[in-house]
Amino acid sequence: MTLQEKQAFKKTIEEQIEALSVELAQIEKALYPERGEGPSDKVAHLNFKLDQSIQIQRHREATKRLNRLKEAYRRIDRPDYGLCRECEEPIPLERLKLMPESLYCVDCMNELGL
């Protein structure tokens, strides 16, 4: 991987970290409404609780991805960034463009059942 490609991935990771941070803030705001902004009746409360459980799952998944992106950002300057941890072959650039936090190529992911 060239230095230019690594710089492009670094910028992509920074942008994705920023976007996920904004998304997490919005989810947290939806999870914990201001006093007096909560549901006003029983049906609204049930709908709020259902929505809240969905938001909690979204928050968990976004937090996991944010942590993986931060770890990828720390690893990007190492020579093993972009290499599959299983077969040690380069992860295709198209895959890294979609998921710069990728640790495995698609073949190894399938073999490992990930």
Side-chain angles (χ1 to χ4, degrees):
M1 181 178 306
T2 68
L3 183 59
Q4 276 185 324
E5 288 170 330
K6 282 193 175 188
Q7 291 302 321
F9 284 121
K10 208 172 203 178
K11 184 173 170 48
T12 298
I13 292 170
E14 288 170 351
E15 290 168 354
Q16 290 183 12
I17 286 173
E18 178 62 31
L20 273 175
S21 297
V22 168
E23 181 182 342
L24 281 167
Q26 291 170 343
I27 292 170
E28 287 168 5
K29 186 173 182 179
L31 282 174
Y32 309 108
E34 295 290 322
R35 188 175 197 98
E37 292 181 12
S40 57
D41 62 24
K42 194 169 192 154
V43 173
H45 181 73
L46 291 173
N47 284 333
F48 172 77
K49 284 301 201 184
L50 178 62
D51 186 52
Q52 190 178 40
S53 67
I54 293 168
Q55 296 297 341
I56 289 169
Q57 185 60 31
R58 282 184 61 213
H59 190 275
R60 283 185 191 135
E61 294 303 317
T63 300
K64 286 179 191 176
R65 179 141 197 260
L66 181 62
N67 290 335
R68 289 191 309 264
L69 284 166
K70 287 179 178 179
E71 179 59 28
Y73 191 81
R74 286 189 284 275
R75 287 189 344 261
I76 199 160
D77 291 323
R78 292 182 9 202
D80 63 341
Y81 176 77
L83 297 179
C84 176
R85 285 199 174 166
E86 185 69 17
C87 68
E88 298 180 1
E89 293 294 320
I91 297 170
L93 293 180
E94 292 303 315
R95 176 166 174 72
L96 288 173
K97 286 178 185 174
L98 293 173
M99 295 180 62
E101 72 272 22
S102 296
L103 299 174
Y104 301 97
C105 66
V106 174
D107 290 338
C108 288
M109 277 190 61
N110 290 335
E111 283 182 29
L112 295 168
L114 301 174

